[in-house]
C-alpha cells in the first residue's frame, strides 16, 4: 500500500480527519484537487438497485459448510454474511452498532447485560425471529463437545436466556465491557431454533438457492430484508477461484465484478487496467507460521526463538507484500490498535541469535520440515522459500513440503508441526487472544498453553480502568512474542479489487471484503 492509500484507509475507518489527510497529501506533493478526488466516496452516492453480482474468491474448500461453528475461511465467511446477521455489527470506524439487536445495556460492572431485539425480523423460512432463536444460536457454540471457533470468546458466559420474545439476558462469570464486540463475531450468526445450522437459513439480505462446497454459491435477494440501505443487487453468485492468476484474469475480463486476496506482485499490472479498481485496506490481518508448542520438537522455546530470529521480516514486507503491510512482532495485535504494546522491542532478523538458540536447543545438524501452500495466503510458498534462505545463513536447514491447496485447512493446518496460516484479526485484543491463544481455545493453532497468560486474559477482560487494561494487554503481547509458538512476521493489508462499476465498498479495518459484507453493501453502476 502506498503512503497516500494508507492515509485514505485511515480516513475511511475514522482514524484520521479529512483535514489531516489534506495536510499529509500536500506534504507528499498532491494538489488539493487531487486529494479531494481521492477522498470522494461512492458511499455518498445513491445506490442503484438490481443486477447480478459475481464474486471470485480464494478461501473456498470442498470441505466447507454453512454451519457458522465450522467456518474458517474467506468464502464461507462472505457467503454466510450474505444470508445471515449477528446481533451486533462493527462499522468502518470500529464501532459496535446494532444489527439484529436494536440496542443493549449493561448493569454496573458489565457482568449482566440486556439485549433488546428488533421486532418483526423474518428468517428466510418465514419464521419471525425471537429471543429463543438468539439463545439457541449462541448455545450452538457452547458445551464441552463444541469445537466452534467462537467457543473461546464465549467462555465467559455463565447464562444466556430469553426474557419474553424480544429480550435476551446474558450473565457473565466476570465483567466484560467488550461483550457487544464479541457478539459481532462471524461465527455468531443468528439462526432459527432447531433448524439445521448447515442449511444457511438466516435473516440476511440474500436467500440461498444453491451451494456446492468449494465451487459455487448462489443466492437471490430477500424481499423482506430489514435493512433498507443494504442488499442492492437482485442476486449474488460467489465462485471459488483458488488460483490467484485465474482469479485476477476473471476480474480483468469482466467474468466477475469483485475478487479477494489480490497478489501484491500483480498490483502494478492491475493498476494499469482501465476497468479495475484496487480496494486496499490497512488493518489487523496477519500471516502466521504456527508451530505445535505442546510436543516435540517445538515444545522447546529455544527452537521457537531460533525460528523467530531466522526470518527476515523486512525482506518479506518488501518482496512478498510489496510494501502493502507492516512487519509483525510475533503477536497478533496491530499497531493501529489502541492496546498495541509500543514499548515492546521489535524483533529483527539476526542469524547469530538464531544460531545461538538453535544450538542451545540441541538441534544442530537437524532438518526442520515446513509445510506450505498458497492456500494459506497469497505468497505463502514464496515466504517459505525466503525463510529457507534466511535460515540457512544461521546454519538452519529447512525442508519445504509443498501441500495441495484443496484440503489444506483440514489436512495441514493444526495437523502438521510447522505450517502457514493467516488471520483476519479481531476487533479487540480479548477476542483475538481468546480465539487463538488461550489454553482452551478451539483454534489455538500453536497449541501453546500458559496458565499465567490465561489468568491475566481474564483480568484484562474484567478491568474497566483503561491504563491498567493496556498494561495487561502489553504484558500478554510480550509473553506471546517471547514465549509463544507462532511466528507472526507480517501484517498484510487487505487487497481486494473490483471492476470500476462497483460502488459502495466500505473499508473495514478488521476484515477484507468490507468486513465480509461486500455482497450486501456494494451495487453495480452500469
Amino acid at each position: 500500500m502506498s503512503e497516500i492509500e494508507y492515509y485514505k484507509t485511515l480516513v475511511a475507518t475514522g482514524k484520521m480527519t479529512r483535514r489531516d489527510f489534506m495536510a499529509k497529501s500536500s506534504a507528499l506533493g498532491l494538489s488539493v484537487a487531487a486529494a479531494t478526488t481521492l477522498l470522494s466516496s461512492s458511499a455518498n452516492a445513491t445506490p442503484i438497485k438490481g443486477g447480478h453480482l459475481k464474486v471470485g474468491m480464494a478461501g473456498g474448500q470442498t470441505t466447507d459448510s454453512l454451519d457458522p461453528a465450522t467456518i474458517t475461511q474467506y468464502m464461507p465467511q462472505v457467503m454466510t454474511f450474505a444470508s445471515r446477521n449477528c446481533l451486533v455489527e462493527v462499522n468502518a470506524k470500529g464501532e459496535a452498532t446494532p444489527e439484529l439487536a436494536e440496542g443493549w445495556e449493561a448493569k454496573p460492572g458489565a457482568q449482566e447485560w440486556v439485549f433488546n431485539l428488533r421486532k418483526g425480523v423474518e428468517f428466510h423460512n418465514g419464521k419471525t425471529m425471537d429471543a429463543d432463536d438468539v439463545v439457541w444460536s449462541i448455545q450452538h457454540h457452547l458445551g464441552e463437545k463444541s469445537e466452534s471457533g467462537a467457543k473461546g470468546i464465549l467462555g465467559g458466559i455463565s447464562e444466556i436466556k430469553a426474557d419474553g420474545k424480544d429480550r435476551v439476558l446474558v450473565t457473565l462469570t466476570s465483567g466484560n465491557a467488550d461483550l457487544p464486540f464479541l457478539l459481532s463475531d462471524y461465527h455468531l450468526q443468528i439462526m432459527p431454533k432447531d433448524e439445521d445450522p448447515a442449511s444457511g437459513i438466516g435473516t440476511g439480505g440474500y436467500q440461498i438457492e444453491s451451494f456446492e462446497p468449494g465451487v459455487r454459491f448462489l443466492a437471490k435477494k430477500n424481499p423482506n430484508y430489514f435493512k433498507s440501505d443494504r442488499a442492492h443487487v437482485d442476486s449474488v453468485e460467489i465462485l471459488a477461484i483458488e488460483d490467484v492468476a485465474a482469479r485476477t484474469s476473471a476480474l480483468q475480463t469482466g467474468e466477475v465484478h469483485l475478487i479477494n486476496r489480490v497478489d501484491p506482485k500483480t498490483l502494478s499490472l492491475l493498476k494499469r487496467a482501465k476497468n479495475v479498481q484496487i480496494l486496499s485496506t490497512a488493518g489487523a490481518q496477519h500471516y502466521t507460521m504456527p508451530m505445535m508448542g505442546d510436543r516435540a520438537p517445538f515444545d522447546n522455546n529455544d527452537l521457537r526463538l531460533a525460528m523467530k530470529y531466522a526470518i527476515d521480516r523486512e525482506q518479506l514486507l518488501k518482496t512478498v507484500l510489496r510494501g502493502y503491510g507492516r512487519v509483525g512482532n510475533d503477536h497478533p495485535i496491530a499497531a493501529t490498535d489502541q492496546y498495541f504494546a509500543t514499548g515492546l522491542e521489535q524483533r529483527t532478523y539476526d542469524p547469530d541469535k538464531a544460531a545461538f538458540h538453535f544450538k542451545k536447543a540441541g538441534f544442530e545438524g537437524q532438518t526442520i520440515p515446513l509445510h506450505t501452500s498458497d492456500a494459506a495466503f497469497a505468497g505463502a510458498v514464496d515466504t517459505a522459500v525466503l525463510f529457507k534462505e534466511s535460515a540457512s545463513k544461521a546454519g538452519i536447514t529447512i525442508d519445504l513440503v509443498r501441500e495441495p491447496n484443496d484440503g489444506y485447512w483440514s489436512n495441514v493446518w493444526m495437523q502438521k508441526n510447522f505450517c502457514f496460516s493467516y488471520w483476519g484479526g479481531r476487533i479487540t485484543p480479548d477476542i483475538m487472544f481468546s480465539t487463538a491463544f488461550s489454553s482452551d481455545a478451539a483454534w489455538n493453532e500453536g497449541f501453546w498453553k500458559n496458565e499465567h497468560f490465561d489468568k491475566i486474559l481474564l483480568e484484562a477482560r474484567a478491568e474497566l480502568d483503561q491504563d491498567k487494561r493496556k498494561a495487561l494487554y502489553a504484558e500478554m503481547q510480550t509473553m506471546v512474542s517471547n514465549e509463544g509458538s507462532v511466528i507472526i512476521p507480517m501484517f498484510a493489508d487487505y487487497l481486494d479489487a473490483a471492476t470500476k462499476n462497483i460502488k459502495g465498498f466500505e473499508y473495514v479495518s478488521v476484515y477484507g471484503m468490507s468486513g465480509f459484507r461486500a455482497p450486501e453493501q456494494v451495487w453495480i453502476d452500469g
Side-chain angles (χ1 to χ4, degrees):
M1 171 181 281
S2 69
E3 193 168 355
I4 194 66
E5 288 171 326
Y6 177 65
Y7 293 144
K8 183 181 175 183
T9 297
L10 294 182
V11 174
T13 55
K15 296 180 175 67
M16 177 181 282
T17 66
R18 291 177 66 91
R19 175 176 293 186
D20 287 342
F21 176 86
M22 299 302 283
K24 295 285 188 182
S25 300
S26 177
L28 291 172
L30 266 70
S31 67
V32 173
T36 301
T37 299
L38 276 173
L39 275 185
S40 62
S41 172
S42 60
N44 296 324
T46 302
I48 295 173
K49 302 294 184 179
H52 178 65
L53 179 69
K54 295 187 71 174
V55 184
M57 295 199 68
Q61 304 277 304
T62 55
T63 54
D64 286 342
S65 167
L66 296 176
D67 180 347
T70 68
I71 295 174
T72 61
Q73 278 294 288
Y74 238 132
M75 188 169 169
Q77 286 161 344
V78 172
M79 290 187 307
T80 53
F81 262 140
S83 62
R84 293 186 177 129
N85 305 99
C86 294
L87 287 178
V88 180
E89 177 180 358
V90 175
N91 65 18
K93 294 183 179 181
E95 302 164 334
T97 59
E99 192 167 29
L100 289 177
E102 64 178 12
W104 52 82
E105 59 182 344
K107 292 185 178 180
Q111 191 170 353
E112 297 180 31
W113 291 77
V114 177
F115 288 84
N116 298 308
L117 307 182
R118 292 186 187 275
K119 299 177 178 63
V121 176
E122 289 187 0
F123 288 105
H124 299 151
N125 62 5
K127 181 186 185 301
T128 300
M129 182 199 70
D130 61 27
D132 287 337
D133 299 309
V134 172
V135 172
W136 183 84
S137 297
I138 302 302
Q139 288 178 335
H140 176 58
H141 305 273
L142 301 174
E144 292 184 5
K145 295 183 179 180
S146 172
E147 295 183 356
S148 169
K151 184 176 181 180
I153 66 174
L154 296 178
I157 294 180
S158 62
E159 184 180 34
I160 178 170
K161 64 181 181 180
D163 181 23
K165 289 290 186 183
D166 303 313
R167 280 163 52 97
V168 173
L169 306 181
V170 180
T171 302
L172 307 177
T173 55
S174 59
N176 189 344
D178 289 339
L179 182 61
F181 287 101
L182 300 183
L183 296 177
S184 74
D185 186 87
Y186 58 83
H187 298 95
L188 304 180
Q189 299 160 2
I190 304 305
M191 304 171 285
K193 182 180 178 181
D194 297 326
E195 184 66 59
D196 179 4
S199 70
I201 294 175
T203 57
Y206 296 93
Q207 301 173 231
I208 299 174
E209 292 193 294
S210 63
F211 169 53
E212 186 177 352
V215 179
R216 181 174 179 263
F217 169 91
L218 180 65
K220 64 180 180 180
K221 185 173 181 176
N222 174 8
N224 299 318
Y225 195 36
F226 67 93
K227 296 183 185 179
S228 60
D229 61 341
R230 299 278 183 96
H232 306 295
V233 300
D234 292 331
S235 54
V236 174
E237 183 177 4
I238 303 176
L239 302 170
I241 310 177
E242 286 299 323
D243 182 75
V244 65
R247 200 162 60 248
T248 303
S249 176
L251 179 69
Q252 291 174 304
T253 59
E255 181 183 344
V256 298
H257 298 98
L258 182 65
I259 65 172
N260 72 325
R261 290 177 64 174
V262 174
D263 189 337
K265 291 184 292 187
T266 68
L267 277 177
S268 59
L269 177 63
L270 274 180
K271 285 180 177 179
R272 295 197 295 269
K274 293 182 179 179
N275 192 42
V276 172
Q277 56 178 318
I278 305 299
L279 306 169
S280 175
T281 308
Q285 177 177 225
H286 52 280
Y287 295 159
T288 71
M289 299 167 65
M291 305 168 277
M292 288 185 171
D294 64 340
R295 67 204 73 176
F298 293 109
D299 55 352
N300 186 316
N301 193 45
D302 277 299
L303 179 59
R304 302 198 297 260
L305 285 171
M307 299 298 104
K308 292 175 182 178
Y309 281 114
I311 194 162
D312 191 336
R313 300 158 201 268
E314 292 290 347
Q315 182 188 38
L316 295 179
L317 176 62
K318 179 180 178 181
T319 305
V320 176
L321 297 184
R322 302 297 172 104
Y324 283 80
R326 303 288 180 272
V327 295
N329 202 18
D330 301 322
H331 68 75
I333 308 306
T336 52
D337 194 288
Q338 63 175 322
Y339 295 110
F340 178 73
T342 55
L344 178 60
E345 183 179 354
Q346 173 65 51
R347 181 170 286 115
T348 58
Y349 176 50
D350 193 325
D352 291 335
K353 285 186 178 180
F356 168 80
H357 286 288
F358 197 63
K359 180 178 180 180
K360 186 178 178 182
F363 280 87
E364 275 189 306
Q366 297 189 39
T367 298
I368 305 297
L370 173 60
H371 300 262
T372 184
S373 167
D374 279 341
F377 57 85
V381 173
D382 289 343
T383 300
V385 171
L386 291 171
F387 177 56
K388 179 177 181 176
E389 292 175 356
S390 63
S392 68
K393 296 176 183 178
I396 299 172
T397 301
I398 302 294
D399 177 27
L400 300 187
V401 182
R402 289 288 299 269
E403 300 283 358
N405 287 346
D406 190 49
Y408 180 84
W409 297 102
S410 55
N411 300 326
V412 179
W413 182 62
M414 296 188 72
Q415 302 297 320
K416 303 295 185 180
N417 264 7
F418 194 14
C419 66
F420 285 84
S421 178
Y422 84 97
W423 289 84
R426 295 297 187 270
I427 192 61
T428 69
D430 180 67
I431 300 178
M432 189 67 241
F433 285 137
S434 298
T435 302
F437 290 90
S438 65
S439 295
D440 61 352
W443 288 354
N444 183 339
E445 63 181 3
F447 294 85
W448 181 67
K449 300 180 187 297
N450 187 296
E451 290 184 5
H452 182 60
F453 178 89
D454 295 340
K455 177 177 179 291
I456 60 177
L457 175 62
L458 295 177
E459 290 177 11
R461 183 180 299 160
E463 181 57 67
L464 300 180
D465 183 293
Q466 285 297 91
D467 290 336
K468 292 181 180 178
R469 201 178 200 203
K470 188 168 186 177
L472 289 170
Y473 283 135
E475 182 180 355
M476 293 164 72
Q477 289 168 66
T478 302
M479 291 176 64
V480 170
S481 179
N482 294 335
E483 302 171 34
S485 54
V486 178
I487 305 171
I488 304 179
M490 49 188 165
F491 282 75
D493 295 341
Y494 301 108
L495 294 177
D496 304 318
T499 52
K500 286 191 175 176
N501 61 344
I502 293 299
K503 309 295 182 183
F505 186 93
E506 292 188 9
Y507 297 88
V508 180
S509 63
V510 181
Y511 302 117
M513 293 292 279
S514 288
F516 300 145
R517 296 172 185 266
E520 76 161 25
Q521 289 179 341
V522 304
W523 65 87
I524 305 171
D525 186 5

